[in-house]
Amino acid sequence: MRSIKWKLIAMYLGLVLIVMIVSGTYILLSLRNIEIDKSRAQLESYAEKINEQVVESVEEENFQTELMKTVTNAVGIQGNILDANGDTIASTTELKAPYPTYTDQAIIAAMNGMTSFSSGKRSTDSLGLLKEWMSYAMPAQADEGGRSYIVYTRLDAGDMQDSLNQTTQTIVAAVAIALFLAAIMGYVFAQTLTGPILALTKGAKSLAEGGGLNQSLKVRSNDEIGQLTSSFNYMASELTKNMSEISREKNRLEILLHNMSDGVISFSKDGDLMLANAAATEMLGVEEMTMDFSQFIRAYDINSAVYLDMGNEPSKKVTFPVGKQFINANFSPYYDTAGRIEGVVVVLQDITEQKKLDDMRKEFVANVSHELRTPLTTVKSYTETLIEGAIEDREIALDFLSIIDSEADRMAFLVRDLLQLTRFDNKQVRLDITEIEMNEFLNITVRQNKIHAEAKNQELTFEPYPHDVVVYGDRDRVGQVVNNIVTNAIKYSLEQARIRIYIGEDAQYYKISVRDTGMGISREDLPRIFERFYRVDKARSRAMGGTGLGLAIAKEIMESHGGRLTAESEYGKGTVMTMWFPKERPVLHYEEDET
Ligand code: ADP
């Protein structure tokens, strides 16, 4: 394992080994030098002693006996006296001749008149064993002008070597113990170092994996590692705080986006889809938004002038249809802090209702203009004819004036109806609600309209309900609705037709129906007859003085009473118009506001 622990231990051991080897070698060398110096001093002083007590004091024949009497200052030193030729003439190793012969660098130096010391010289001893020697040789003279000799002393270096070897062994043992202790210490030290590092590593890993830090790491010391741990703890707590803040913010945004009524789609600068909220998928009529930018543009056939890198252009607005809906898309690019394009956000708005209202308004204005133009043209042309001279002929003039009068009436009716509708639209209509007994009310209506029906040879009847039918309503306006429906039945039925008024009821409503055996209304026209200005047969309606607003107003009145107005019809057979009055007194819109 290449962990820092083992590296540290290895370094520790290496360091100890180097220190011990260097210092051990130094100690051994120093010891050896000291030993050699000591031996040299011993050899030298013994040689001086032999020179004084033997060479300078006695005759050559007595050298051997005198030499044997000398006392060495250390054990194991051999003393010898050699003549000027290097032949041994007395020796402490033998009692009598033949004495051993020596060949030594030091002896040659002494023969040349110099004292000399040599160490590490290998040579045999008296028993013929090869040993290492330290030797000393000095030239000597019997007395003034006497014969020259050489005093040669030597010492077995084996003892010194033994003691040095022992020291070496001790040092090696010490090194082993030191290494062992160093290993333990290194291990403990590494452990204290790597323990917190491992904990930090684990903590960082868990942070990186998004697990957060459930518990801050323990700070065990005040050193650099302790500081690192507490810094790490601080960083982790800040990170956790920031992360939770970010995720809260993200949640908030997601909720906002999800609950927005506007659709939001965003694309990256490469055109990849980044997000699409629920409103967007709903508006685009897809289960899930998966299109990238170009697929999106193609799928909805969006103006090719919209492209991803819109540069510094502001936003672009495009309207496109999706099924029956109309969607308004606002493309706005967004940038990073350096001003480079990051992508584009598309905000979608369903403008179907708005467009419908817009279209209706346009159509309405067109209709009103058209309705007014016809009577105005008539009035204008008759007036001009009168001015040009027709006024002279009293009969024609009166005829023309009555036409002008009726056209003016028609315009007045139109304006009256429009004003009434406007009041309903603006919720300005106040109803004077009273209890109306319908049997009686419808009887009166029938009586009023009978004359018109009879003029067309039509039969207009009302079958009274077996008991009182009390509805809540504004008498004048309910009258307006009933009259409008009965008048229509008369108008849009041929001669001989039968028009029957009757009452029905269910749990909630009284139903007043007007059934005729007239021309009926085709299936396509039926749902549209309550629209403003809608007329199945424009010419006939206009000829009969209709404005095309009657049923639209009737419907508004019924709805303002909390009721309904419905139509059933079979083309060519007849029509049934039904007014639904709630049995309970309705709560009117302005009463609602007042409470
Ligand atoms: P108008 O002023 O033209 O009568 P209304 O709003 O009262 O306008 O009626 C709208 C259209 O509905 C009429 O033009 C007519 O074509 C059709 N309509 C209404 N009532 C009947 C009916 N009883 N039978 C056949 N068509 C009818």
Side-chain angles (χ1 to χ4, degrees):
M1 188 168 136
R2 300 165 95 190
S3 103
I4 207 169
K5 189 152 62 181
W6 299 113
K7 280 185 197 155
L8 264 175
I9 292 173
M11 264 168 64
Y12 236 69
L13 292 181
L15 193 73
V16 167
L17 205 63
I18 289 170
V19 167
M20 291 303 273
I21 286 174
V22 168
S23 59
T25 313
Y26 180 76
I27 287 170
L28 279 176
L29 283 178
S30 305
L31 269 177
R32 188 183 150 84
N33 281 341
I34 290 169
E35 283 295 317
I36 288 175
D37 284 350
K38 205 173 97 195
S39 303
R40 181 196 169 114
Q42 283 170 347
L43 288 173
E44 200 177 333
S45 87
Y46 187 44
E48 295 284 355
K49 207 182 255 173
I50 291 173
N51 186 31
E52 258 170 50
Q53 292 180 8
V54 183
V55 179
E56 285 180 357
S57 307
V58 295
E59 291 303 310
E60 196 181 306
E61 325 60 85
N62 297 324
F63 273 10
Q64 177 64 23
T65 32
E66 271 315 300
L67 183 63
M68 291 308 265
K69 283 183 198 158
T70 54
V71 184
T72 61
N73 44 4
V75 273
I77 299 184
Q78 299 173 1
N80 301 283
I81 300 170
L82 283 70
D83 63 14
N85 299 323
D87 296 326
T88 310
I89 51 174
S91 171
T92 51
T93 55
E94 301 291 331
L95 290 175
K96 52 184 181 24
Y99 303 110
T101 46
Y102 298 108
T103 52
D104 197 325
Q105 210 72 44
I107 295 172
I108 295 165
M111 277 160 55
N112 289 322
M114 278 180 289
T115 56
S116 173
F117 174 76
S118 81
S119 71
K121 174 107 184 97
R122 279 181 187 280
S123 121
T124 48
D125 68 352
S126 51
L127 299 168
L129 292 170
L130 188 70
K131 280 186 175 171
E132 200 173 321
W133 299 95
M134 279 184 283
S135 49
Y136 182 80
M138 66 180 273
Q141 230 164 10
D143 41 66
E144 295 290 300
R147 292 185 64 180
S148 292
Y149 300 98
I150 291 162
V151 181
Y152 176 62
T153 54
R154 69 174 193 174
L155 179 60
D156 184 357
D159 291 347
M160 183 193 79
Q161 207 55 52
D162 285 348
S163 91
L164 279 181
N165 283 347
Q166 212 144 31
T167 313
T168 311
Q169 270 169 22
T170 314
I171 287 174
V172 168
V175 168
I177 291 170
L179 280 179
F180 178 68
L181 289 179
I184 291 176
M185 264 177 67
Y187 183 82
V188 171
F189 175 61
Q191 193 69 24
T192 58
L193 203 71
T194 53
I197 290 178
L198 275 179
L200 276 172
T201 313
K202 233 163 94 183
K205 220 182 207 165
S206 133
L207 261 189
E209 280 161 6
L213 212 59
N214 354 353
Q215 194 177 348
S216 55
L217 303 177
K218 244 189 216 120
V219 180
R220 289 175 204 276
S221 58
N222 207 14
D223 57 10
E224 285 86 344
I225 288 196
Q227 282 169 15
L228 178 65
T229 309
S230 53
S231 296
F232 179 83
N233 282 339
Y234 177 66
M235 181 192 79
S237 81
E238 285 297 296
L239 256 178
T240 317
K241 217 157 61 192
N242 288 348
M243 289 304 284
S244 69
E245 180 63 34
I246 287 171
S247 80
R248 241 202 325 273
E249 192 64 29
K250 192 170 156 248
N251 250 359
R252 258 207 296 268
L253 274 179
E254 247 159 38
I255 289 171
L256 196 86
L257 215 64
H258 194 77
N259 292 302
M260 260 172 87
S261 60
D262 286 354
V264 177
I265 309 174
S266 116
F267 297 101
S268 73
K269 67 169 182 293
D270 304 319
D272 296 331
L273 178 73
M274 307 289 282
L275 67 88
N277 69 354
T281 51
E282 197 185 318
M283 277 184 212
L284 296 177
V286 290
E287 284 271 300
E288 199 189 348
M289 175 75 181
T290 48
M291 290 173 266
D292 65 19
F293 187 76
S294 55
Q295 286 170 332
F296 172 64
I297 296 279
R298 249 179 290 131
Y300 296 96
D301 201 10
I302 291 168
N303 191 340
S304 59
V306 177
Y307 43 92
L308 193 57
D309 182 5
M310 286 169 40
N312 289 327
E313 283 176 56
S315 48
K316 255 207 169 85
K317 267 201 171 104
V318 179
T319 303
F320 59 93
V322 179
K324 284 186 177 161
Q325 310 290 101
F326 282 90
I327 306 295
N328 191 14
N330 194 20
F331 290 76
S332 352
Y334 60 94
Y335 305 92
D336 63 8
T337 42
R340 279 185 302 256
I341 182 122
E342 282 261 279
V344 64
V345 177
V346 188
V347 178
L348 304 175
Q349 276 167 323
D350 187 344
I351 55 158
T352 316
E353 268 320 291
Q354 200 181 324
K355 193 166 156 55
K356 215 192 267 173
L357 280 176
D358 225 40
D359 290 349
M360 263 165 72
R361 191 181 53 80
K362 281 184 200 151
E363 198 185 307
F364 185 73
V365 171
N367 277 330
V368 171
S369 326
H370 183 77
E371 292 297 327
L372 283 174
R373 200 181 54 198
T374 321
L376 269 176
T377 320
T378 317
V379 168
K380 179 90 179 138
S381 60
Y382 280 98
T383 324
E384 274 171 6
T385 321
L386 282 172
I387 291 169
E388 278 164 12
I391 195 151
E392 303 299 339
D393 187 329
R394 186 180 157 77
E395 213 169 300
I396 292 177
L398 276 176
D399 203 21
F400 279 16
L401 283 173
S402 79
I403 290 172
I404 291 172
D405 186 48
S406 81
E407 288 302 308
D409 277 350
R410 176 202 268 283
M411 285 191 279
F413 289 148
L414 186 67
V415 172
R416 180 202 63 197
D417 285 356
L418 281 173
L419 277 177
Q420 202 175 356
L421 272 173
T422 311
R423 277 209 290 277
F424 274 112
D425 287 346
N426 296 341
K427 302 221 185 303
Q428 286 171 339
V429 176
R430 298 270 154 154
L431 299 177
D432 181 13
I433 299 280
T434 54
E435 292 185 358
I436 309 170
E437 205 288 298
M438 273 313 199
N439 280 321
E440 183 208 337
F441 189 82
L442 289 172
N443 257 325
I444 299 170
T445 313
V446 169
R447 236 179 287 140
Q448 285 169 349
N449 284 289
K450 203 133 204 160
I451 179 165
H452 303 298
E454 277 166 2
K456 285 182 83 176
N457 279 325
Q458 291 168 340
E459 187 190 2
L460 176 62
T461 55
F462 167 59
E463 299 153 21
Y465 205 56
H467 58 77
D468 276 2
V469 177
V470 177
V471 300
Y472 299 90
D474 183 316
R475 219 162 231 286
D476 290 347
R477 301 204 193 256
V478 172
Q480 191 183 342
V481 177
V482 178
N483 271 319
N484 188 286
I485 291 171
V486 173
T487 316
N488 276 350
I490 297 170
K491 273 200 296 189
Y492 300 109
S493 300
L494 299 173
E495 305 219 337
Q496 314 296 337
R498 268 177 295 121
I499 301 160
R500 211 155 60 80
I501 305 174
Y502 53 92
I503 299 176
E505 68 176 308
D506 65 12
Q508 287 177 31
Y509 292 96
Y510 283 118
K511 299 184 274 187
I512 319 284
S513 301
V514 178
R515 174 188 288 274
D516 65 55
T517 53
M519 56 186 64
I521 306 162
S522 72
R523 195 187 291 269
E524 306 85 72
D525 292 318
L526 193 61
R528 302 197 59 188
I529 57 170
F530 298 108
E531 284 177 19
R532 295 168 188 195
F533 294 114
Y534 192 80
R535 289 178 282 205
V536 178
D537 182 347
K538 284 197 182 1
R540 177 189 288 268
S541 161
R542 215 172 275 133
M544 294 183 188
T547 57
L549 294 173
L551 284 181
I553 294 171
K555 185 168 170 270
E556 293 285 353
I557 292 173
M558 286 313 294
E559 281 172 4
S560 73
H561 279 80
R564 279 186 279 154
L565 179 60
T566 57
E568 290 163 56
S569 185
E570 204 176 327
Y571 187 64
K573 294 224 165 125
T575 308
V576 187
M577 304 288 295
T578 306
M579 291 166 269
W580 304 61
F581 287 97
K583 287 179 171 176
E584 299 274 316
R585 186 190 189 282
V587 179
L588 306 172
H589 68 87
Y590 53 87
E591 291 174 338
E592 238 169 32
D593 295 347
E594 280 157 17
T595 54

